[in-house]
Amino acid sequence: MQELAAEYGIIIGVGWAKDAGETCENHYSIVAPEGEILDYAKLHPFGFGLESKFFRGGETLPCCSCGGFEIGVQICYDLRFPEPFQILARRAGLLIIPANWPADRREAWNCLLRARAIETQAYVAGINCAGKVGKLYYSGDSVLYDPLGNSLSAKIREVPWEDRCPEEKLLLYEIYDDTKKYRGSFPVRADRREELYARFLGE
């Protein structure tokens, strides 16, 4: 991926599994022409799907600077846990969620993505699997929400490979980091009571 990023002068996000001894970690890395700029390990292995039997959870919430944005990442099932999103939003204006989210739960996918955008007043990009994998069907539903929770329109391009499924497509967005404008005009985050929340968690 680093060689491709350098060859084409682009930035690539890629999911991969890391050997962690007796278990593995579910990772997502962002690779730029000059090398890796972010490596995140999924915090919440999916117990219902037995992921937690083979994968352990990560321990860090990294951000990186890219394309004028500070970017944070969560992976798939992490979407159901809002606390890390609030922590990332202290720095990040763009939150990326790559996922294998099945069509049976597509309403939850869209609802939670939109909620995370509204809660954090950040751009939220959901990047989902498309097509059939084993017994599961993935409807794609990749989307970008703005800090108000509006779904943004994309320029759509057909993917170039022959064996593509109907749900696969390339979505092109052009955005810039104006999250300070959104947060300044409606300063919800200024009313958060972090110390109080921490006290509740301690109890």
Side-chain angles (χ1 to χ4, degrees):
M1 289 300 172
Q2 188 170 328
E3 290 174 0
L4 289 171
E7 180 179 354
Y8 293 102
I10 58 175
I11 296 168
I12 301 172
V14 58
W16 57 287
K18 180 178 181 179
D19 185 348
E22 295 182 1
T23 59
C24 295
E25 291 176 340
N26 189 341
H27 279 248
Y28 188 84
S29 296
I30 298 177
V31 181
E34 63 272 18
E36 182 182 271
I37 58 175
L38 180 142
D39 180 37
Y40 166 71
K42 183 179 180 183
L43 296 184
H44 305 95
F46 185 34
F48 180 79
L50 301 182
E51 183 182 21
S52 56
K53 183 177 179 180
F54 304 100
F55 288 79
R56 70 183 187 190
E59 301 286 341
T60 62
L61 285 171
C63 289
C64 69
S65 296
C66 177
F69 276 91
E70 283 292 314
I71 296 175
V73 173
Q74 294 284 273
I75 296 175
C76 200
Y77 187 54
D78 286 336
L79 182 59
R80 292 184 178 271
F81 302 89
E83 294 89 347
F85 286 86
Q86 291 291 350
I87 295 167
L88 286 169
R90 293 173 186 168
R91 291 176 54 192
L94 172 61
L95 303 170
I96 298 174
I97 303 95
N100 280 22
W101 199 284
D104 287 348
R105 294 189 284 276
R106 68 188 303 190
E107 293 301 323
W109 165 253
N110 283 298
C111 181
L112 290 170
L113 287 170
R114 188 178 184 209
R116 299 295 164 261
I118 294 169
E119 291 167 352
T120 62
Q121 295 182 298
Y123 287 90
V124 170
I127 307 166
N128 196 29
C129 179
K132 190 172 183 181
V133 180
K135 296 181 180 179
L136 293 177
Y137 169 67
Y138 299 87
S139 49
D141 299 312
S142 293
V143 65
L144 177 65
Y145 287 100
D146 73 12
L148 296 177
N150 299 309
S151 175
L152 299 182
S153 297
K155 294 180 181 178
I156 299 175
R157 299 285 185 270
E158 294 296 326
V159 294
W161 42 89
E162 293 182 0
D163 60 346
R164 62 185 180 272
C165 67
E167 297 80 9
E168 286 183 282
K169 58 180 72 78
L170 300 174
L171 304 178
L172 308 177
Y173 296 93
E174 186 173 342
I175 59 173
Y176 65 95
D177 190 359
D178 53 0
T179 50
K180 287 183 180 179
K181 179 192 78 173
Y182 285 104
R183 293 172 179 178
S185 64
F186 188 44
V188 175
R189 294 183 58 76
D191 294 327
R192 288 182 56 78
R193 301 180 65 187
E194 302 283 355
E195 292 182 2
L196 180 64
Y197 307 153
R199 197 171 77 210
F200 290 155
L201 290 170
E203 295 174 357

